[in-house]
């Protein structure tokens, strides 16, 4: 009987658009509702005894291909939402971090991101990491380039250390909305993760469902290549 400890959780939040479509609403309404789900899930993680980080795929390097109005909406939502969430981060004792190339965002949004990071840096219940303008292949390539430019050898250990994420390996990865693919998310860090795919659309995903998944994870047999 195994008893896995869950420290690092990652989630691909998918299905906002379909959630809105099912209700005859515009896609952006799904993103707004999805943002509420982020809060509920972060609260669950902050209260969970062993979870240290939750990494959420919020905007991929490929998401720029969406219609301009949707990209603009997501940027504005993120800015507005982060400012509003500050109180929530304090209440949950949650630290806010990001992975990805935020220099691709407007100076205003970059300033908001930096400010929320700074103001929540002392919290220790959980670190919420939003993957923003994130692509895993690019992250790996850039880390290798940095090592090479310093004349350092590229090994599994040196590259792993160089990847600019505030954790090492992800224990559990969940994707909502029934899609079963990784979409260029944390390819290195997911090497030994347990995967769970649920048909639930992200705006309908609840801490209760996550708790069921965590229970199943705890009882899965993780062998890391051994017997
Ligand atoms: C996928 O839904 C969702 C995203 C584009 C990323 C997650 C975004 C949010 C939860 C919105 C709010 C985020 C923040 C941080 C304020 P989709 O549009 O791909 O859904 P679909 O596949 O049904 O079209």
């Amino acid at each position: 009987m195994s008893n896995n400890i869950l420290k690092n959780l990652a989630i691909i939040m998918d299905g906002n658009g379909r959630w809105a479509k099912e209700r005859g609403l515009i896609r952006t309404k799904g993103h707004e509702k999805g943002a509420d789900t982020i809060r509920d899930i972060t609260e669950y993680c902050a209260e969970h005894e062993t979870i240290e980080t939750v990494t959420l795929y919020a905007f991929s390097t490929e998401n720029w291909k969406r219609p301009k109005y949707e990209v603009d909406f997501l940027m504005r939502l993120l800015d507005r939402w982060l400012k509003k969430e500050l109180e929530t981060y304090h209440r949950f004792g949650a630290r806010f971090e990001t992975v990805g190339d935020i220099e691709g965002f407007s100076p205003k949004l970059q300033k908001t991101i930096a400010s929320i990071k700074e103001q929540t840096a002392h919290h220790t219940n959980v670190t919420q990491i939003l993957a923003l303008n994130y692509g895993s292949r690019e992250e790996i390539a850039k880390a290798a380039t940095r090592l090479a430019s310093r004349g350092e050898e590229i090994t599994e250990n040196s590259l792993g250390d160089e990847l600019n994420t505030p954790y090492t390996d992800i224990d559990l990865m969940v994707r909502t909305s029934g899609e079963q693919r990784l979409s260029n998310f944390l390819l290195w860090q997911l090497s030994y993760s347990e995967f769970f795919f649920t048909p639930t659309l992200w705006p309908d995903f609840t801490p209760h469902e996550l708790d069921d998944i965590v229970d199943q994870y705890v009882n899965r047999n993780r062998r890391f290549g051994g017997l």
Side-chain angles (χ1 to χ4, degrees), residues 123-139:
H123 289 314
T124 54
N125 282 347
V126 73
T127 301
Q128 179 206 70
I129 304 157
L130 288 191
L132 294 170
N133 197 17
Y134 177 84
S136 185
R137 288 180 173 180
E138 185 177 291
E139 181 189 43

Side-chain angles (χ1 to χ4, degrees), residues 51-221:
I51 297 178
E52 294 173 3
T53 70
V54 54
T55 304
L56 301 158
Y57 207 1
F59 194 85
S60 79
T61 46
E62 285 74 37
N63 285 152
W64 296 108
K65 292 183 210 146
R66 295 191 173 201
K68 187 174 175 325
Y69 85 88
E70 185 168 336
V71 172
D72 288 349
F73 177 88
L74 280 167
M75 296 298 139
R76 278 199 311 276
L77 175 64
L78 182 59
D79 193 75
R80 182 159 40 93
W81 181 80
L82 278 174
K83 287 173 181 154
K84 193 162 61 87
E85 281 310 285
L86 182 60
E87 178 271 325
T88 316
Y89 289 118
H90 289 325
R91 188 149 42 90
F92 298 164
R95 177 177 162 210
F96 168 67
E97 265 298 334
T98 61
V99 284
D101 185 11
I102 54 169
E103 283 177 14
F105 291 158
S106 71
K108 178 174 177 263
L109 182 52
Q110 287 185 50
K111 213 172 130 200
T112 304
I113 290 171
S115 152
I116 306 295
K117 279 187 189 174
E118 201 183 300
Q119 293 181 74
T120 61
H122 58 289
H123 289 314
T124 54
N125 282 347
V126 73
T127 301
Q128 179 206 70
I129 304 157
L130 288 191
L132 294 170
N133 197 17
Y134 177 84
S136 185
R137 288 180 173 180
E138 185 177 291
E139 181 189 43
I140 294 169
K142 281 187 172 167
T145 305
R146 285 198 300 276
L147 285 175
S149 69
R150 298 201 300 264
E152 290 174 34
E153 198 187 346
I154 297 174
T155 65
E156 236 185 275
N157 281 340
S158 69
L159 189 52
D161 289 346
E162 188 64 24
L163 287 167
N164 53 359
T165 45
Y167 45 73
T168 48
D169 284 341
I170 298 294
D171 300 302
L172 168 64
M173 197 287 298
V174 179
R175 182 171 189 149
T176 60
S177 92
E179 309 293 352
Q180 302 194 9
R181 52 178 176 262
L182 284 182
S183 305
N184 202 14
F185 186 48
L186 302 175
L187 302 179
W188 181 280
Q189 299 86 344
L190 290 173
S191 295
Y192 283 101
S193 303
E194 294 294 322
F195 289 179
F196 279 81
F197 299 96
T198 167
T200 306
L201 304 175
W202 177 250
D204 287 330
F205 191 64
T206 60
H208 181 75
E209 181 169 359
L210 178 57
D211 197 47
D212 276 352
I213 293 172
V214 171
D215 276 350
Q216 293 176 58
Y217 160 82
V218 166
N219 293 309
R220 274 198 187 174
N221 187 5

